[in-house]
Amino acid sequence: MTDLVTLGEAMLAVSLSEAGPLFPGATARLSFAGAEATVAVGVCRQGHRAAWTGVVGADAAGTMILTALRAEGVDTGRVRVDPSLPTGLMLRQRRTADRILASYYRKGQAGVGLGPEDVDPDLVAGARVLHVTGITPALGPGPLEAVRHAVAVARTAGTTVSLDVNYRGTLWSPAEATAVLRPLVREADIVFAGLDEAGLLVEAAGAAPTARALAELGPRQCVIKLGADGALALVDDEVFVQAAVPVTAVDPIGAGDSFVAGYLSGLLDGAAPAERLRTAAICGAFSVSVPGDWEGLPRRAEGSLLTGDDIRR
């Protein structure tokens, strides 16, 4: 039995070390990236058990991703290694001192081959939380059906369903996303979204009205991510507000997933909504202060580095 199960895509991440355009001889740092994998790592660093399901290639990149996830304590026992397709790639460059560009190379890669057959129903049914995002359904029919199947299993088993809207305009249109994500929101217990993302699903102005509009679709917990302005959560019709933790931002990519990891970790701890939001804000702050999607995620006792006390008060 595990605490959290998630599924999606993980890619080799190549990040240029210096600001400026891509040029011959440029130095780079290698890692991996993936929204759901980041959440799994974050939950594990907070002392919980997490499993990630996906597909990687039988190549050096796939081996590195699995090795790194296992080193973080993530269960990768249901990951499929495809010998015929390569692992996907994300190229990240700091085009100027304050502007990061990310390019994704997914088409024909192993990650988009995820399908419902890759979902272990016993693993999902035995978990406390299933976490999915709006990225995976946008990758193609197979990944979409994998998410739908996992959610259906979770609903039948009584596993809490968490959904991060995570809209990516390069993957599908707003109309396509709305048609797929609105039914998933109706099946979710917890929904995370930015204000713009929530606008794909409901019509409202402001964080609190938006959260209430989302709640009318079915979720009992609706969390609105507001970036530097913090976050707002509507839990069982009660509003909770959290300010962002002040920090020097180095790399914003992955901050939303780190925030989600913190909130779900608090949920798994049995923490009250306000404490979940606080943990989420701390994890998001740690993430943006370090290069990479997941590398800066804090361990449980590290909250004092930013807040003056432990991550759990």
Side-chain angles (χ1 to χ4, degrees), residues 116-128:
E117 67 278 4
D118 294 306
V119 176
D120 183 341
D122 291 334
L123 182 67
V124 174
R128 296 170 62 190

Side-chain angles (χ1 to χ4, degrees), residues 8-302:
E9 174 193 42
M11 318 173 77
L12 174 66
V14 179
S15 303
L16 298 191
S17 302
E18 304 172 52
L22 184 64
F23 60 91
T27 58
R29 182 176 59 87
L30 299 183
S31 186
F32 71 90
E36 299 87 355
T38 294
V39 172
V41 170
V43 166
C44 285
R45 287 195 178 182
Q46 288 298 304
H48 300 288
R49 297 162 298 177
W52 176 78
T53 295
V55 185
V56 298
D59 49 28
T63 298
M64 183 197 74
I65 291 169
L66 294 182
T67 300
L69 286 172
R70 290 166 184 154
E72 291 292 336
V74 178
D75 179 358
T76 60
R78 283 77 173 180
V79 174
R80 178 162 55 89
V81 178
D82 190 328
S84 63
L85 294 174
T87 302
L89 168 68
M90 179 182 73
L91 175 64
R92 181 185 298 170
Q93 58 184 123
R94 188 176 291 276
R95 188 60 183 83
T96 66
D98 58 358
R99 179 72 64 179
I100 295 177
L101 302 178
S103 302
Y104 298 87
Y105 301 88
R106 291 181 162 110
K107 189 174 182 179
Q109 311 300 308
V112 300
L114 181 70
E117 67 278 4
D118 294 306
V119 176
D120 183 341
D122 291 334
L123 182 67
V124 174
R128 296 170 62 190
V129 175
L130 168 71
H131 177 67
V132 297
T133 80
I135 297 174
T136 301
L139 298 177
L144 169 58
E145 290 309 312
V147 169
R148 284 174 170 167
H149 179 48
V151 169
V153 171
R155 294 292 296 177
T156 299
T159 300
T160 296
V161 177
S162 165
L163 168 67
D164 188 349
V165 173
N166 242 336
Y167 174 69
R168 296 291 184 268
T170 57
L171 293 176
W172 53 358
S173 70
E176 290 172 320
T178 299
V180 169
L181 293 176
R182 186 171 284 153
L184 288 175
V185 169
R186 295 185 186 280
E187 297 296 317
D189 300 289
I190 308 169
V191 171
F192 300 89
L195 280 175
D196 290 343
E197 294 172 328
L200 297 171
L201 305 166
V202 296
E203 293 184 6
T210 297
R212 293 191 184 280
L214 284 173
E216 290 177 2
L217 296 178
R220 293 180 57 188
Q221 301 183 48
C222 299
V223 184
I224 307 300
K225 296 181 286 186
L226 301 170
D229 293 324
L232 177 144
L234 179 71
V235 180
D236 294 330
D237 206 37
E238 185 175 356
V239 173
F240 301 87
V241 176
Q242 172 66 50
V245 175
V247 69
T248 299
V250 173
D251 185 351
I253 298 178
D257 304 313
S258 300
F259 176 95
V260 170
Y263 187 92
L264 294 178
S265 294
L267 180 76
L268 292 168
D269 282 335
E275 192 66 16
R276 295 174 215 161
L277 271 183
R278 178 177 176 275
T279 302
I282 292 172
C283 288
F286 266 94
S287 178
V288 301
S289 65
V290 175
D293 285 35
W294 57 271
E295 288 86 341
L297 280 160
R299 289 178 170 80
R300 185 176 289 263
E302 291 186 312

